[in-house]
Amino acid sequence: MAKGAPLIPGFVAVSDQVLVREDADDSKRSADHPHVILIFGWGDCLPKHVAKYADGYNQLFPHSKQVVILAPISKAFFSNLERRTSSMVPVRKFIDSIQTSDGSSPTILAHAMSNTGGTNYAATLNAYQEKHNQPLPHQLLVLDSTPGSPYMTWENMKRWSWAMTVGTAAWFPWPSFVTQSIWGTVLLANIFFEMFIGREPAAVFSIRAVDDETYETKESRRLYLYSKEDDLIPYQDIERYRAEATQKGYATDGEMFEGTGHVGHMRAFPEKYWKAIAESWRRVSQEKS
């Protein structure tokens, strides 16, 4: 493990963003549980916070392998697709390393939180597509507080700059409105830079990839977890993207929470949260049988 690598008890860091649970025993895994759970954290999430989701999945699916992917906002949104994809290659390599008893592809549950988690998830899809020339085989995609519109508007600029302000609050000694102004300027500069060089923004690629059969298999079910009170991702965006996915042939479920903020649903309503995931996975299992 590299010096300065992120730490989560029970996990081994294979890169500065990717950690693998080391104590999973596949021989004890129930046949109807996923082989692998991929947990894509939200922007600038701390390892100790995303570890709570790993613990929840460990209760729900004991002995399933787990991969946690951390999400520095700077890496997700200010780098090109090649670099984002390179950062997710350790995830793809871990999936490729799994051997099932019958030689089939492992069953996979992917869980992406916020647009930053969605960006890393899309980069993982691209990493798999580049290596295997096919979409990543998986059975369930859980989308927590995502997707939101990837396009720069005044309202989105305020939301995105505030999210970055919160994530970097410990870095700066001045009032938060100063930090938000700085990040707003950085976001605008990045948009103009990408327009100038003709580069597709990270969030735009992510939204496109998740609804494109080249990257996202239609054999996977989706579960959208969201609330009307989310101050970063409007619930109307999530419901619109869910409707579009349904129209394109993706099977979807949805669970709305009352009074919860951005990526705050599990903390406020853990029983409802994990029940929704368990129910969607049960539908996946029934469809396979």
Side-chain angles (χ1 to χ4, degrees):
M1 182 170 62
K3 183 178 181 181
L7 296 175
I8 297 178
F11 284 75
V12 172
V14 296
S15 78
D16 61 347
Q17 285 185 252
V18 180
L19 304 96
V20 176
R21 184 180 285 277
E22 61 182 354
D23 58 357
D25 186 350
D26 189 67
S27 67
K28 298 180 180 179
R29 181 185 57 83
S30 175
D32 60 349
H33 287 185
H35 288 90
V36 187
I37 300 167
L38 309 177
I39 306 172
F40 295 85
W42 62 96
D44 290 329
C45 61
L46 295 177
K48 66 180 181 180
H49 293 153
V50 74
K52 296 177 181 179
Y53 292 82
D55 290 341
Y57 272 117
N58 202 38
Q59 292 293 318
L60 199 60
F61 301 118
H63 312 300
S64 293
K65 300 179 186 297
Q66 292 186 5
V67 182
V68 165
I69 301 92
L70 302 178
I73 290 178
S74 59
K75 284 192 173 184
F77 291 114
F78 299 127
S79 58
N80 60 27
L81 178 59
E82 181 180 1
R83 289 182 179 178
R84 298 195 307 274
T85 300
S86 178
S87 294
M88 295 301 108
V89 165
V91 182
R92 191 266 300 162
K93 287 184 175 179
F94 180 79
I95 294 169
D96 288 345
S97 72
I98 297 171
Q99 302 292 323
T100 60
S101 58
D102 60 359
S104 62
S105 297
T107 52
I108 298 174
L109 186 161
H111 186 133
M113 291 175 267
S114 191
N115 277 7
T116 317
T119 295
N120 285 331
Y121 173 70
T124 301
L125 296 181
N126 191 56
Y128 197 90
Q129 170 60 230
E130 286 188 349
K131 177 67 175 180
H132 299 288
N133 196 31
Q134 68 178 51
L136 171 69
H138 60 286
Q139 287 65 45
L140 179 62
L141 170 59
V142 179
L143 295 168
D144 182 334
S145 306
T146 190
S149 171
Y151 300 106
M152 177 64 78
T153 64
W154 175 247
E155 290 302 317
N156 276 345
M157 195 271 283
K158 290 191 292 184
R159 294 186 186 103
W160 299 346
S161 61
W162 178 247
M164 298 174 76
T165 298
V166 172
T168 59
W171 297 6
F172 307 111
W174 47 69
S176 59
F177 76 88
V178 177
T179 306
Q180 186 173 11
S181 298
I182 293 171
W183 282 124
T185 302
V186 170
L187 286 168
L188 287 173
N190 187 63
I191 289 293
F192 287 124
F193 173 72
E194 290 182 321
M195 290 174 62
F196 178 74
I197 65 174
R199 185 171 78 192
E200 184 177 36
V204 174
F205 171 78
S206 302
I207 293 289
R208 179 170 64 81
V210 170
D211 277 353
D212 184 342
E213 278 189 276
T214 303
Y215 304 97
E216 176 72 11
T217 175
K218 284 187 177 177
E219 295 180 4
S220 173
R221 194 173 192 89
R222 291 188 196 177
L223 170 62
Y224 295 83
L225 305 170
Y226 63 104
S227 76
K228 290 184 177 181
E229 290 77 18
D230 191 325
D231 58 348
L232 290 181
I233 303 294
Y235 77 95
Q236 296 95 332
D237 284 2
I238 293 175
E239 291 185 339
R240 174 166 55 87
Y241 283 119
R242 180 188 176 189
E244 291 178 2
T246 302
Q247 290 173 356
K248 292 176 180 178
Y250 291 95
T252 70
D253 301 317
E255 191 72 51
M256 179 180 281
F257 295 79
E258 297 292 334
T260 51
H262 191 63
V263 198
H265 322 310
M266 191 276 284
R267 294 191 300 275
F269 300 103
E271 184 175 345
K272 180 179 180 180
Y273 190 91
W274 295 112
K275 181 179 179 182
I277 293 173
E279 282 295 308
S280 284
W281 185 260
R282 181 184 60 80
R283 293 187 183 102
V284 167
S285 299
Q286 288 178 339
E287 290 165 359
K288 288 178 60 182
S289 60

